[in-house]
Amino acid sequence: MSEVAEEPGNPAHALFERFLRAGECREVLGSFGELCKQLGLQGNGLQLYHGLRASLNYWSAKALWSKLDKKAGHKDYNQGTAC
């Protein structure tokens, strides 16, 4: 069973999974745009990231947030302020 089928009650979860699995730039951008529209999010940068993080709070999204937060905290990114 696909991961999208495991989240039938929340369309945002299905869109997020589609975004994660997208293989071409067009698919990535399209699914991300649909996800932001579904969640009513606008903006960019950290504002958009924090909105996504607050809106998508389930296992698959949490795994990505954990990886991104760890990476952003690296000294090369000035503990998240340079990116």
Side-chain angles (χ1 to χ4, degrees):
M1 178 157 47
S2 74
E3 292 182 58
V4 173
E6 293 176 17
E7 296 291 347
N10 191 329
H13 291 183
L15 287 168
F16 182 75
E17 293 299 330
R18 196 171 98 204
F19 165 71
L20 290 179
R21 288 192 318 273
E24 295 181 7
C25 185
R26 175 182 20 210
E27 292 173 299
V28 171
L29 293 173
S31 59
F32 187 76
E34 287 181 53
L35 176 62
C36 289
K37 185 177 178 181
Q38 173 70 35
L39 296 172
L41 297 174
Q42 296 180 1
N44 55 38
L46 284 177
Q47 176 189 9
L48 182 58
Y49 173 69
H50 290 297
L52 281 168
R53 187 167 183 190
S55 299
L56 294 170
N57 192 20
Y58 75 110
W59 71 270
S60 185
K62 285 182 181 181
L64 179 59
W65 308 148
S66 177
K67 290 174 186 174
L68 290 174
D69 290 343
K70 183 177 179 181
K71 188 73 161 180
H74 194 271
K75 69 178 184 172
D76 293 339
Y77 299 107
N78 288 335
Q79 280 64 42
T81 60
C83 53

